[in-house]
Amino acid sequence: MKVDPALKDPQAVRAALIELYETELDLEPGNLVAIDIAAAMPARAAQLDAVVKREAQMIPGGNRAGMMVLHPGIAQARTNRTSAAGHLAKIRGEGEGPKRGHNVRDAVGARWGNRA
């Protein structure tokens, strides 16, 4: 199972992330907070993708009249996805200390063969 990259609703992204991670980990409250923070980022990236699709990848701008520049929504969407991945990579299962549980990347990779 993968989270649909076209989901624009943060609550739908959150639900999909929780379902994905709970297949391998018992999530602690701190993990849920990380998911809450991260869920808004891919949702916003999907919204930006829709704007870029509507307005085109190259738009008029720059410091010369008629100069075409890359749509700023492309870079912002990439940044949002990278930030979300950083938050989600810190999720760990139940336990104590820095080595508690195992990293969610390892858990998802074990279940889905690194296809997630």
Side-chain angles (χ1 to χ4, degrees), residues 31-71:
N31 299 147
L32 294 174
V33 170
I35 289 174
D36 288 341
I37 292 169
M41 295 174 190
R44 180 63 182 143
Q47 293 168 353
L48 289 167
D49 289 343
V51 169
V52 170
K53 187 174 182 178
R54 184 178 65 241
E55 295 179 358
Q57 289 185 356
M58 301 297 288
I59 59 172
N63 56 2
R64 287 190 258 161
M67 183 176 180
M68 300 296 282
V69 297
L70 188 66
H71 197 293

Side-chain angles (χ1 to χ4, degrees), residues 3-115:
V3 177
D4 183 1
L7 286 176
K8 296 178 186 172
D9 178 24
Q11 293 303 321
V13 173
R14 181 185 186 277
L17 288 170
I18 288 174
E19 181 181 338
L20 175 66
Y21 294 140
E22 282 187 339
T23 59
E24 294 294 328
L25 300 175
D26 294 324
L27 296 175
E28 294 180 332
N31 299 147
L32 294 174
V33 170
I35 289 174
D36 288 341
I37 292 169
M41 295 174 190
R44 180 63 182 143
Q47 293 168 353
L48 289 167
D49 289 343
V51 169
V52 170
K53 187 174 182 178
R54 184 178 65 241
E55 295 179 358
Q57 289 185 356
M58 301 297 288
I59 59 172
N63 56 2
R64 287 190 258 161
M67 183 176 180
M68 300 296 282
V69 297
L70 188 66
H71 197 293
I74 295 171
Q76 187 59 48
R78 183 181 308 132
T79 300
N80 285 355
R81 289 186 177 101
T82 302
S83 296
H87 285 287
L88 296 174
K90 296 175 186 174
I91 294 175
R92 297 188 177 275
E94 288 185 350
E96 295 182 12
K99 298 283 186 181
R100 67 178 188 224
H102 50 273
N103 190 290
V104 76
R105 266 190 216 160
D106 298 334
V108 172
R111 174 155 179 123
W112 300 105
N114 294 320
R115 289 177 286 145

